Amino acid sequence: MTDEASATPGRIVLLTASHRVAPGLLSWPAWQLLHSADAVVCADAGHPQLPYLREAGVAVEQAAPTARELVDACADGRTVVVIPSSEGDGTDARLTDGLARLAGSGRVRMPDLELLPGSYDLPGARLLDLVQVMDRIRVECPWSSTRTHQGLAKYAIEEAYELVEAIEEGDADELREELGDVLLQVVFHARIAEERSAAEEGADDEGPFSIDDVAGTIVEKLIHRHPHVFGDETAETPEDVKTHWLRMKAVEKQRDSVTDGVPLGQPGLALAAKLAGRTRTAGLDVPLPKAEGVGYELLALAVRAEEAGVDPEAALRAAARVYRDAIRTAEGHAG
């Protein structure tokens, strides 16, 4: 039917859906459109939405119409819904480019063109992409497929230091990238843990665990340690929150000493400050050891910094940066 004979231009609706949302979970406007449309077409025979649409009584034609064919199908005010391919094979781009050319020609009476998102990504949805990418890399990459927890440990430390540097530099782009690198370490280790069995050396009795187990554990911990948010307790100040946190943590860990759980492998100033903080919070009066040497002098400085609410590691890094700049200036470097 020609454009001149068309009573009304009709509609072409591109119905999109997030691949990160389970197929069939579409918005109410999307379902209303699908049931009322004159035609629903999809070029992708394996599209994950199709079984659910057909189960709901929506007739879907497997076809890849040209832009002109689609415009003609909208004659007499008809509504045609196009479901984009899930494979990204270029079919949809060719269609939209063709519609743009027809609209720009000025010789064709175009139907209304609409875009209707059938489902939206929830916050954190891209994390699903990261898990999928990590799964594939773990299987197909010769390097990644042979990594172990022990072999990756040094990278976690390196990435953590690079993250701290990005924070101190105040570079938002660098911070975003370094946060991603730290997140990769978490997902990588969780993916390796999925493959482990309880029989492996160092594995616990519960055997493998997944990234969902990791997330579930921290969710439970956060809820338990924030009774003022998820429970009936109240906290008016940051000090109140810290009190709740320490009390809940003590119940969880059932530690014999305030020093339990303090990693001795961390940088020296941070270690000294952590021990001092644990001691002060517990109300213990423990004199500093008296001995000669730079180490004991640094210990006393770290304890003094912690008492003043200063992170000695951060303070030393800040001073070291000033020292680095002075060195570069002495070398004749600008800025």
Side-chain angles (χ1 to χ4, degrees), residues 2 26 61 85 98 105 119 136 151 156 168 183 245 253 262 297 314:
T2 65
L26 299 174
E61 178 185 358
S85 169
S105 70
S119 60
R136 182 170 178 180
E168 293 178 345
L183 180 59
W245 181 275
K253 301 297 183 180
V262 177
E297 294 175 11

Side-chain angles (χ1 to χ4, degrees), residues 267-320:
L269 288 177
L271 171 61
K274 189 68 174 180
L275 290 171
R278 287 282 185 92
T279 302
R280 182 172 52 81
T281 302
L284 298 174
D285 184 12
V286 182
L288 292 176
K290 300 294 184 180
E292 296 295 328
V294 174
Y296 292 95
E297 294 175 11
L298 290 173
L299 173 62
L301 285 174
V303 172
R304 194 179 81 192
E306 194 281 331
E307 291 173 347
V310 175
D311 180 349
E313 281 287 336
L316 180 58
R317 280 196 303 272

Side-chain angles (χ1 to χ4, degrees), residues 2 8 17 28-29 34-36 54 77 100 125 180 195 221 233 268-269 291 297 333:
T2 65
T8 56
W28 178 240
L34 288 165
H35 282 293
S36 64
R54 289 168 179 151
E195 304 165 8
K221 181 185 291 186
E233 299 194 32
L269 288 177
E297 294 175 11
H333 297 292

Side-chain angles (χ1 to χ4, degrees), residues 51-329:
Y52 299 91
L53 300 185
R54 289 168 179 151
E55 184 178 352
V58 177
V60 182
E61 178 185 358
Q62 184 192 342
T66 64
R68 183 68 217 208
E69 291 171 341
L70 201 57
V71 170
D72 289 343
C74 292
D76 296 324
R78 290 165 56 85
T79 295
V80 178
V81 176
V82 178
I83 300 176
S85 169
S86 63
E87 300 299 325
D89 56 5
T91 302
D92 305 314
R94 288 192 292 271
L95 177 60
T96 54
D97 289 346
L99 290 171
R101 284 193 295 271
L102 286 178
S105 70
R107 297 191 296 270
V108 178
R109 187 183 183 195
M110 295 294 293
D112 294 332
L113 304 177
E114 301 177 20
L115 174 66
L116 176 63
S119 60
Y120 300 87
D121 286 343
L122 295 173
R126 293 307 302 271
L127 294 176
L128 299 176
D129 290 344
L130 175 58
V131 172
Q132 290 179 337
V133 168
M134 188 68 251
D135 285 347
R136 182 170 178 180
I137 289 175
R138 179 65 177 171
V139 173
E140 299 181 21
C141 174
W143 186 87
S144 298
S145 62
T146 60
R147 296 307 96 189
T148 64
H149 291 304
Q150 293 76 13
L152 288 176
K154 64 178 182 179
Y155 298 109
I157 296 173
E158 291 175 5
E159 298 299 353
Y161 278 127
E162 290 179 10
L163 172 60
V164 171
E165 184 174 359
I167 292 172
E168 293 178 345
E169 291 284 355
D171 187 324
D173 291 337
E174 191 73 14
L175 175 59
R176 181 180 65 248
E177 181 177 344
E178 296 303 337
L179 283 170
D181 290 342
V182 171
L183 180 59
L184 169 61
Q185 297 303 310
V186 175
V187 176
F188 205 158
H189 280 281
R191 182 64 179 81
I192 294 172
E194 262 189 289
E195 304 165 8
R196 300 174 69 204
S197 68
E200 291 183 68
E201 182 179 355
D204 56 37
D205 294 336
E206 297 182 0
F209 58 86
S210 70
I211 187 65
D212 289 309
D213 298 313
V214 173
T217 298
I218 190 60
V219 166
E220 291 173 2
K221 181 185 291 186
L222 288 173
I223 292 174
H224 184 249
R225 293 187 184 178
H226 289 79
H228 54 290
V229 176
F230 301 99
D232 298 329
E233 299 194 32
T234 59
E236 302 295 337
T237 67
E239 288 72 24
D240 293 340
V241 174
K242 187 174 182 179
T243 300
H244 287 317
W245 181 275
L246 292 175
R247 186 177 72 252
M248 294 299 180
K249 191 172 182 179
V251 172
E252 292 170 10
K253 301 297 183 180
Q254 294 293 309
R255 289 170 171 156
D256 296 324
S257 168
V258 296
T259 65
D260 290 346
V262 177
L264 298 179
Q266 62 183 303
L269 288 177
L271 171 61
K274 189 68 174 180
L275 290 171
R278 287 282 185 92
T279 302
R280 182 172 52 81
T281 302
L284 298 174
D285 184 12
V286 182
L288 292 176
K290 300 294 184 180
E292 296 295 328
V294 174
Y296 292 95
E297 294 175 11
L298 290 173
L299 173 62
L301 285 174
V303 172
R304 194 179 81 192
E306 194 281 331
E307 291 173 347
V310 175
D311 180 349
E313 281 287 336
L316 180 58
R317 280 196 303 272
R321 286 176 184 274
V322 175
Y323 184 38
R324 178 202 60 183
D325 294 342
I327 294 171
R328 292 178 59 81
T329 299

